[in-house]
Amino acid sequence: MASLDTTSLWIDSEPLPTFPALDRDLKVDVAIIGGGITGVTTAYLMKQAGLSVALLERGGCAGVDTGHTTAHLTAVTDLRVHEQVRNFNAQVARAVWDAGGAAIDQIVKLIREGGIRCGFRWVPGYLHAPLADKADMMSELDLEIAAARELAIPVSQVEDVPFGHRPGLKFPQQALFHPRQYLAGLLKRVPGGGCHVYEGTEVTEVTEQPLAVKAGNHTIQCDYVVLATHNPLAGHTRLIKALLFQTKLALYTSYALAAKIPSGRLPEALFWDMGDPYYYLRIERAAGHDIAIFGGEDHKTGQEPDTVAVHRRLEQRFKQFVPGATVTHQWSGQVIETHDGLPYIGETADRQFAATGFSGNGMTFGTLAAMMAVDALLKRKNPWQELFDVHRKKLAAGTWDYLKENADYPYYMVRDRVAHGARLEPEELGPNQGCILNHDGRKLAAYRDEQGKVTLCSPVCPHLGCIVGWNDAEKTWDCPCHGSRFRPTGEVISGPAEEPLEKIALPVSS
């Protein structure tokens, strides 16, 4: 039997810049071990903060876990909202949701700052009943939507999700991108100004006195170490503590395929079913066809004797719902679960930061870990420090006033505005999508049609001046004050408004 090619779509489609191996001793502010999304983002943010860094990767950057992701950018976590409320409390559940939102906002900010072309799209996400059977999941869906609404998390109920045709929930304002294109944009900006990237450099030891990282015959002295290796190294933590930390982690292998499917067969979106283990899917547009990335069939790493058969099962499951799909790539990756479903992000020892246990949210939690690492080094308050503390035992209700304590953190100054889509630029809208956005301090009602044409209007209802909102189901602008409705391009559908929304023309940049 011919061997199976398991090169991921991301690695096959995007070569990254290459970097030399460490060939000398160095002294820097921060040594970062691991060149995936956590390590690369940490290096970039540390440099932005004015610190010197050395990023060390054993192989090639974004070549292992980040190169084998399915790249869902979502605040929807594997641990359901109602389970978080039940296991912890409502503040924890809201904080976990906000953490995902803050990470996505950080990614958008870095994309804009660097002009990074990485196929970023805002898309909806659908959580739906299992694909494997027709089990009645309405009670669990009811619990989830009730918990989400109680926490002011945007969500709507869907009787027939477009993939699998099961009942489910729709979460707006999730996203997708090409992870290696994104990291290539960051990596190009790390070297220089006292900052370095080294590949083919395996760290063999972290010493405490003085704090240093050893790789081969060379030593990097530093003031801070970040362990960004997915499954964290012991670093300079005492061996017994490192072993105890490892017992809190469970490693699973997850399988994925990429396939060409007919254009428009499925909406551009993210999907997750409620099975255990669960299946997941992302759909994006391409020239002449759409690309589907489908994953699942998880098992504990090393406990499946016939992994080729697992790939075949995954392909059969996908083709059951999308007959005629042409599979182009098959690969597997690893996810790490924790004992309570939340990641571990924080200092494992003095001047040593680690992050792991991201479950199916590696892109968002990896980015969040980078943000938290910078805050930890600079001794800045971070809203999620206690939540994801690596030494946590139990997050007790009533001991943590999450919003009050963190009201001055930058994310919370814009959270409500962000939640209504103001983080978009007109060009970032998906097809047949509308959104109220903020452009240079001015609110706009923006709509992009199926052909890509963008129409901009004033969001002010001409009846009595209220701000309209986008109705995603009906594709209309609706006034919440007196019920006027407008077409996506601003024309009146029903009053009391008699005039259309005012058209807005933005100046063309030279």
Side-chain angles (χ1 to χ4, degrees):
M1 180 184 294
S3 61
L4 186 68
D5 183 353
T6 56
T7 304
S8 78
L9 172 66
W10 314 123
I11 292 174
D12 196 31
S13 61
E14 183 62 28
L16 263 63
T18 58
F19 302 93
L22 180 66
D23 60 357
R24 55 194 167 118
D25 293 343
L26 283 176
K27 187 172 184 179
V28 295
D29 295 322
V30 189
I32 302 164
I33 307 171
I37 190 165
T38 304
V40 173
T41 310
T42 301
Y44 184 87
L45 294 180
M46 291 287 189
K47 182 177 182 179
Q48 279 194 324
L51 300 163
S52 60
V53 304
L55 175 62
L56 310 171
E57 166 55 43
R58 178 170 52 188
C61 289
V64 186
D65 297 294
T66 299
H68 293 81
T69 178
T70 50
H72 291 221
L73 284 180
T74 177
V76 180
T77 60
D78 289 1
L79 186 63
R80 304 287 168 244
V81 175
H82 75 273
E83 292 175 327
Q84 294 173 38
V85 174
R86 181 189 65 206
N87 296 348
F88 307 109
N89 58 69
Q91 289 201 69
V92 166
R94 180 68 217 205
V96 172
W97 178 266
D98 283 350
I104 297 172
D105 288 346
Q106 178 70 82
I107 290 170
V108 171
K109 181 175 182 287
L110 297 185
I111 289 172
R112 289 180 180 170
E113 287 177 353
I116 301 172
R117 301 178 65 86
C118 58
F120 181 91
R121 297 281 193 281
W122 292 105
V123 298
Y126 294 91
L127 176 68
H128 57 86
L131 295 176
D133 56 54
K134 293 282 188 178
D136 182 9
M137 300 292 293
M138 291 308 299
S139 60
E140 188 165 349
L141 286 168
D142 289 343
L143 287 172
E144 188 69 358
I145 196 168
R149 286 175 172 169
E150 181 68 23
L151 297 173
I153 293 172
V155 65
S156 58
Q157 200 146 7
V158 180
E159 290 185 6
D160 189 27
V161 168
F163 175 66
H165 300 292
R166 267 73 168 163
L169 307 179
K170 180 180 180 180
F171 295 88
Q173 296 293 108
Q174 309 306 298
L176 52 80
F177 71 161
H178 191 303
R180 279 171 58 98
Q181 288 177 350
Y182 169 67
L183 291 183
L186 297 185
L187 275 168
K188 292 172 184 175
R189 294 166 174 83
V190 172
C195 297
H196 315 267
V197 178
Y198 294 106
E199 294 180 321
T201 301
E202 182 174 5
V203 172
T204 54
E205 186 180 1
V206 178
T207 63
E208 185 176 6
Q209 295 294 339
L211 187 60
V213 171
K214 294 185 177 181
N217 296 322
H218 300 289
T219 299
I220 299 178
Q221 292 189 38
C222 55
D223 296 322
Y224 205 77
V225 172
V226 177
L227 306 176
T229 54
H230 187 58
N231 191 9
L233 303 172
H236 68 76
T237 310
R238 289 184 179 179
L239 181 59
I240 187 64
K241 282 191 174 182
L243 292 174
L244 286 172
F245 186 55
Q246 289 291 332
T247 64
K248 299 178 182 180
L249 307 176
L251 281 66
Y252 289 82
T253 298
S254 190
Y255 296 77
L257 63 81
K260 295 179 180 178
I261 65 173
S263 298
R265 176 74 174 271
L266 291 167
E268 196 170 35
L270 306 175
F271 301 86
W272 317 273
D273 86 349
M274 300 175 73
D276 185 17
Y278 67 94
Y279 292 102
Y280 46 96
L281 172 72
R282 56 173 270 173
I283 303 292
E284 61 181 297
R285 307 296 182 223
H289 61 272
D290 290 345
I291 297 174
I293 299 176
F294 182 65
E297 298 290 339
D298 301 14
H299 61 78
K300 278 199 169 183
T301 298
Q303 296 188 10
E304 172 55 59
D306 189 351
T307 54
V308 172
V310 181
H311 280 290
R312 299 293 178 239
R313 286 201 302 270
L314 186 72
E315 181 176 351
Q316 290 168 6
R317 176 68 68 187
F318 180 62
K319 289 185 174 179
Q320 175 185 348
F321 293 95
V322 189
T326 302
V327 174
T328 60
H329 298 79
Q330 294 175 283
W331 69 92
S332 67
Q334 193 176 62
V335 295
I336 300 181
E337 307 281 353
T338 67
H339 74 291
D340 62 4
L342 302 181
Y344 290 113
I345 306 173
E347 292 188 336
T348 53
D350 182 41
R351 297 186 293 156
Q352 178 176 281
F353 192 95
T356 189
F358 300 158
S359 299
N361 295 83
M363 298 295 97
T364 44
F365 282 141
T367 300
L368 184 80
M371 299 160 62
M372 292 177 65
V374 177
D375 285 348
L377 187 154
L378 297 178
K379 305 298 183 185
R380 296 190 305 217
K381 181 174 65 174
N382 184 280
W384 305 285
Q385 179 179 340
E386 184 177 346
L387 177 66
F388 299 135
D389 181 15
V390 297
H391 305 295
R392 69 178 181 268
K393 290 183 171 58
K394 177 70 175 178
L395 292 163
T399 62
W400 181 41
D401 195 339
Y402 161 63
L403 289 177
K404 181 179 179 181
E405 289 183 7
N406 298 290
D408 57 347
Y409 192 80
Y411 173 72
Y412 297 101
M413 297 179 184
V414 298
R415 187 185 75 177
D416 291 338
R417 174 175 62 78
V418 161
H420 290 86
R423 54 187 168 189
L424 295 178
E425 291 295 329
E427 296 78 12
E428 296 171 359
L429 288 165
N432 208 18
Q433 181 183 1
C435 186
I436 301 294
L437 58 89
N438 191 310
H439 183 84
D440 291 336
R442 182 180 190 181
K443 287 188 182 298
L444 300 173
Y447 168 72
R448 189 182 193 92
D449 68 18
E450 292 285 2
Q451 288 70 47
K453 180 182 177 181
V454 175
T455 301
L456 302 176
C457 297
S458 166
V460 178
C461 176
H463 176 230
L464 289 176
C466 293
I467 302 297
V468 299
W470 176 249
N471 181 330
D472 192 47
E474 302 296 334
K475 309 300 180 187
T476 59
W477 296 109
D478 298 350
C479 178
C481 296
H482 304 100
S484 297
R485 302 183 67 213
F486 305 84
R487 299 191 188 282
T489 48
E491 296 82 9
V492 176
I493 296 175
S494 60
E498 298 180 1
E499 301 293 327
L501 300 177
E502 178 189 359
K503 291 288 197 302
I504 302 293
L506 295 180
V508 179
S509 57
S510 57

